[in-house]
Amino acid sequence: MTELTHAAAAIHDCPPHSVGAVLAALRAYGYLYDGEDAADVLHVGTWLEADPESHRMGRDFAHAMMESAPDAAFTAYDAPRDGELGEVNTYVPDLGLFNAPCGADAEPMFRRSELLKLAAQPAADRDRALRLPWLNATSRMPGRTVAGPPRLVARWTLGGPIVVPDDTHADLVAPGPIATEERAREALARLGFAQGPDWRAPGGSCWPTSTAAPATAA
């Protein structure tokens, strides 16, 4: 991290099929502002500064990420503010979530009594308390650009089925009646897709469309 701020997040690693979910979480918690129609490209290893009005969002972001993109690795931190310590959250799939109070440098902070207790613990336990396994793991994750899988267009008439055209195989169909957008999202999920932007009617067509990104494609 070359420059510290009040709050920031970085994605250390992400498989292509989770790019959409990660970008959605970054936007939802104020780390990205490029809109839903932006390209599904994630810059791994880049620190993203949070909205100046956000505070104590790192923990909520971490739990949202673990739910929607459990195979991605990341760090999110909030710097000290109003006399309170900050908080750092680092997640690596094989290690789980590390959470601790932190200073302005995003490094974990401990009371003297806590450090004395750590000194008496086995080395492996002490290393985990100091975040060393997470730092070692993320240091081996190179910065890179990861593109999400290609998006497809799903067509749906209110009350009818959802059709995802496929030029190489048979079209994927979620049978109707599908009467609400919530049911439409559920139907897409059963087909293995995550809905992109809201349904909208293109010019010259009576079929509302939505961009559907494969949820499980590698």
Side-chain angles (χ1 to χ4, degrees), residues 30-108:
Y31 298 104
L32 275 183
Y33 316 97
D34 55 7
E36 288 191 348
D37 290 325
D40 288 339
V41 175
L42 181 66
H43 300 289
V44 171
T46 300
W47 283 95
L48 303 168
E49 184 177 351
D51 186 307
E53 298 301 320
S54 68
H55 183 51
R56 295 297 184 191
M57 298 293 286
R59 185 185 303 184
D60 291 341
F61 170 76
H63 286 280
M65 282 282 293
M66 288 189 294
E67 180 176 348
S68 63
D71 45 7
F74 61 88
T75 293
Y77 81 92
D78 294 286
R81 179 171 170 177
D82 299 331
E84 297 181 358
L85 288 174
E87 185 176 77
V88 60
N89 294 272
T90 298
Y91 174 80
V92 173
D94 292 340
L95 297 173
L97 178 67
F98 175 91
N99 168 272
C102 73
D105 58 358
E107 293 296 328

Side-chain angles (χ1 to χ4, degrees), residues 195-218:
Q195 183 181 324
D198 292 338
W199 299 96
R200 58 185 182 272
S205 172
C206 62
W207 288 50
T209 65
S210 175
T211 304
T216 57

Side-chain angles (χ1 to χ4, degrees), residues 90-168:
T90 298
Y91 174 80
V92 173
D94 292 340
L95 297 173
L97 178 67
F98 175 91
N99 168 272
C102 73
D105 58 358
E107 293 296 328
M109 293 190 67
F110 301 91
R111 297 185 180 90
R112 177 181 173 83
S113 59
E114 293 172 330
L115 289 174
L116 291 174
K117 289 180 180 179
L118 284 176
Q121 291 183 5
D125 294 342
R126 185 167 61 249
D127 287 349
R128 285 186 65 87
L130 295 173
R131 198 173 51 146
L132 294 183
W134 286 265
L135 293 177
N136 289 336
T138 57
S139 69
R140 295 191 294 268
M141 299 175 182
R144 58 197 174 100
T145 298
V146 182
R151 290 187 173 221
L152 300 175
V153 173
R155 294 188 172 90
W156 168 50
T157 51
L158 188 64
I162 291 178
V163 179
V164 181
D166 189 327
D167 294 335
T168 58

